[in-house]
Amino acid sequence: MADICIIGAGSSGVTVAKALRDKGLAFDMFEKGSDIGGMWRYENDNGQSSCYASLHIDTSRPNLGYSDFPIDPSLPDFLSHAQFLRHLEAYADANGLRELVTFGTRVDRVEPDGQRWRVTLANGESRDYASVVCANGHLWDPRMPDFPGHFDGHVIHSHHYRTAAPYEGKRVLVVGLGNSAVDIAVDIARRAEHVTVSTRRSAWIMPKYLMGIPIDQWSGFLVRRLGLPVVWSRWIMSRLIRLGVGDQRRFGLPRPEHPMWREHATLSQELLPYIGHGYIDIKPDVSELRRHAVAFTDGTEADYDAIIYATGYSISFPFLSPDVFDPDRDAGRLYRRMVPPAHPGLIFAGLVQPVGPTIPLVELQGKWIAALLSGAFELPAPQDMEKEILEHLEDQKRTYLDSARYTLEVDFRAYAKQLRSDAGW
Ligand SMILES: Cc1cc2nc3c(=O)[nH]c(=O)nc-3n(C[C@H](O)[C@H](O)[C@H](O)COP(=O)(O)OP(=O)(O)OC[C@H]3O[C@@H](n4cnc5c(N)ncnc54)[C@H](O)[C@@H]3O)c2cc1C
């Protein structure tokens, strides 16, 4: 009988399943959709995918694959969502994982029962496990801003954006300057009458390529191939980016207050040229919605037909009571970003936002979880786990901005090193 339950068969759940299976651990795995892939399955029947038709992954191919299952080198540098899904399917099939998933089965409740966990499925069935791995994704519950006033036009969150077609000939305001905001603004720009991007705090805009090389391969080259310290490589990268992009203030994008490496970068090859061609303009934060117009904090006002809020996601675990796990309180307080000290049988996979790619980092989390559950190492005492969390939070405060957007931030290299050292690889 399986004593481990995995919730979700997205890229996180699938790689955790592979790691557990490699260690000979039995598990039950429940997926509410009818297939694997989670957010990378366009129009997933789980109703939870934020994937839009033009989405391309922003991690370049060599940095994206799983360690024992690299991505076909004939594929482009930046895979489309469909190409990545096919890769994920091939990984699952090569490892016989699909047949281990119970599809079309939503987990409705996960409750502590002494030292164990009772998992209740949507069909009413309850099962009992020693450990529950939550791999249900954290980028699906739209976070909407609360601006004064009311807008009478078309309003959606980027989670529901699919194609540019509904915006043909329209005046569109995109709120936000993260990757989705910029992707969507660029996607719509040539079909809309005009697109405005509104940003509260601005962001560093980095190109996807520098001198023909994907930008995420530069830092690897400087640190791993040339052996430069991270601080030097950051300095060199910021100078190279400055050379490649110039001063973004020329495009109406204020320089963020924080240095380039304290910000999760917005990657876009097209945004600045599109501003330069007049397809997109930049405004500061929204101050008021005025039926068919929007006022901005610089005192200007403009008319719009549609607003797309690309304002991020709330972290949600609908199957956990807030007494057990309150995402606002607890998501940033996990030992090794996975285990709540008060509930060591509950394990979160994929609840990280690295500077670097998420998908291969979750592969390491999977191996760490498998090593833990197979007894290769033990969790520290609760007070030592709390200490590790406090140290992480201090480090996070020193490195990133104090914002909801950074709760899950980890440094890929440092974090991967910790996981490897715990599990003794
Ligand atoms: C627009 C966008 C672009 C991104 N681009 C990149 C990128 O370029 N590079 C990168 O590394 N990362 C990127 N990410 C982050 C990406 O979300 C993660 O990298 C990763 O793919 C998430 O996988 P996951 O398995 O954790 O979550 P998901 O893909 O969301 O999968 C979770 C699965 O759990 C299932 N599930 C949820 N609740 C339940 C339940 N109660 N019962 C049963 N099943 C349940 C869902 O149906 C789903 O299949 C992007 C995210 C977004 C939103």
Side-chain angles (χ1 to χ4, degrees):
M1 259 276 283
D3 219 7
I4 305 167
C5 170
I6 303 176
I7 304 173
S11 58
S12 300
V14 162
T15 195
V16 171
K18 151 99 170 43
L20 296 185
R21 213 222 37 202
D22 285 353
K23 286 277 181 199
L25 296 167
F27 55 85
D28 289 336
M29 185 165 182
F30 300 110
E31 164 55 52
K32 71 177 175 186
S34 59
D35 213 333
I36 66 155
M39 100 124 241
W40 297 103
R41 186 172 289 281
Y42 184 64
E43 299 288 28
N44 195 327
D45 63 6
N46 67 0
Q48 197 176 300
S49 170
S50 307
C51 185
Y52 36 90
S54 63
L55 179 63
H56 282 248
I57 219 154
D58 62 17
T59 308
S60 75
R61 180 175 30 77
N63 289 333
L64 182 65
Y66 293 112
S67 59
D68 56 357
F69 201 79
I71 294 176
D72 176 355
S74 70
L75 289 172
D77 287 337
F78 295 100
L79 271 61
S80 69
H81 58 83
Q83 287 168 325
F84 182 66
L85 178 66
R86 279 198 291 278
H87 173 76
L88 207 54
E89 288 176 329
Y91 173 75
D93 291 339
N95 291 292
L97 301 175
R98 255 190 181 133
E99 46 267 38
L100 302 178
V101 186
T102 310
F103 290 109
T105 304
R106 195 181 64 227
V107 169
D108 272 355
R109 279 198 311 283
V110 174
E111 298 156 300
D113 185 6
Q115 296 300 306
R116 299 179 63 80
W117 293 90
R118 191 171 342 105
V119 171
T120 307
L121 309 176
N123 63 10
E125 188 190 336
S126 276
R127 299 192 194 179
D128 181 54
Y129 298 97
S131 308
V132 176
V133 181
C134 306
N136 57 307
H138 63 92
L139 298 171
W140 57 270
D141 184 8
R143 192 167 55 219
M144 297 290 267
D146 187 18
F147 295 127
H150 188 265
F151 184 69
D152 287 341
H154 169 86
V155 176
I156 59 163
H157 186 274
S158 58
H159 176 68
H160 300 289
Y161 175 81
R162 294 294 174 266
T163 72
Y167 304 97
E168 186 85 48
K170 300 277 197 295
R171 295 158 302 179
V172 185
L173 172 65
V174 178
V175 179
L177 192 60
N179 285 319
S180 296
V182 168
D183 268 4
I184 292 170
V186 165
D187 205 19
I188 290 176
R190 284 180 182 248
R191 299 179 70 168
E193 183 184 314
H194 188 71
V195 175
T196 297
V197 171
S198 155
T199 170
R200 194 173 35 171
R201 213 179 42 211
S202 195
W204 292 105
I205 306 298
M206 292 195 196
K208 276 188 156 173
Y209 285 96
L210 258 185
M211 296 179 234
I213 309 287
I215 195 139
D216 61 342
Q217 292 177 25
W218 275 94
S219 44
F221 172 74
L222 295 172
V223 174
R224 283 195 295 275
R225 289 282 286 280
L226 300 187
L228 297 180
V230 172
V231 200
W232 288 23
S233 89
R234 288 180 174 180
W235 187 85
I236 294 172
M237 284 300 293
S238 55
R239 292 307 176 278
L240 284 175
I241 289 165
R242 183 66 196 258
L243 263 181
V245 172
D247 184 346
Q248 64 180 47
R249 286 176 300 187
R250 282 198 66 243
F251 298 87
L253 277 164
R255 281 167 68 90
E257 280 168 24
H258 38 277
M260 196 172 282
W261 295 101
R262 288 195 67 189
E263 162 77 7
H264 208 96
T266 296
L267 280 184
S268 177
Q269 199 74 23
E270 298 103 339
L271 178 67
L272 301 183
Y274 272 52
I275 297 173
H277 286 74
Y279 290 121
I280 297 175
D281 72 335
I282 301 291
K283 293 276 189 191
D285 202 10
V286 170
S287 59
E288 193 180 0
L289 305 174
R290 297 177 177 164
R291 302 186 71 87
H292 291 283
V294 176
F296 299 94
T297 54
D298 61 357
T300 59
E301 181 184 306
D303 292 340
Y304 295 99
D305 303 301
I307 300 180
I308 301 175
Y309 289 111
T311 42
Y313 294 90
S314 299
I315 304 170
S316 296
F317 295 94
F319 47 80
L320 285 168
S321 141
D323 303 342
V324 175
F325 189 85
D326 175 351
D328 292 338
R329 184 190 61 207
D330 301 322
R333 301 187 68 88
L334 299 173
Y335 175 69
R336 294 293 195 237
R337 326 295 70 82
M338 286 181 272
V339 182
H343 297 294
L346 203 55
I347 305 174
F348 293 84
L351 197 51
V352 282
Q353 190 114 36
V355 176
T358 308
I359 291 155
L361 194 59
V362 183
E363 181 188 20
L364 291 179
Q365 287 191 326
K367 290 181 175 182
W368 186 94
I369 294 167
L372 173 71
L373 298 182
S374 62
F377 70 97
E378 285 184 0
L379 290 173
Q383 67 272 22
D384 293 331
M385 290 200 262
E386 294 285 2
K387 191 162 162 265
E388 188 269 351
I389 292 167
L390 287 181
E391 283 165 8
H392 168 69
L393 292 175
E394 279 305 308
D395 190 48
Q396 211 181 29
K397 221 181 283 172
R398 273 195 304 275
T399 316
Y400 307 108
L401 297 175
D402 200 8
S403 147
R405 195 174 165 206
Y406 297 91
T407 313
L408 307 182
E409 210 82 1
V410 291
D411 178 80
F412 188 102
R413 261 188 289 264
Y415 181 56
K417 203 167 150 192
Q418 285 174 338
L419 300 187
R420 287 200 176 97
S421 121
D422 288 345
W425 313 313

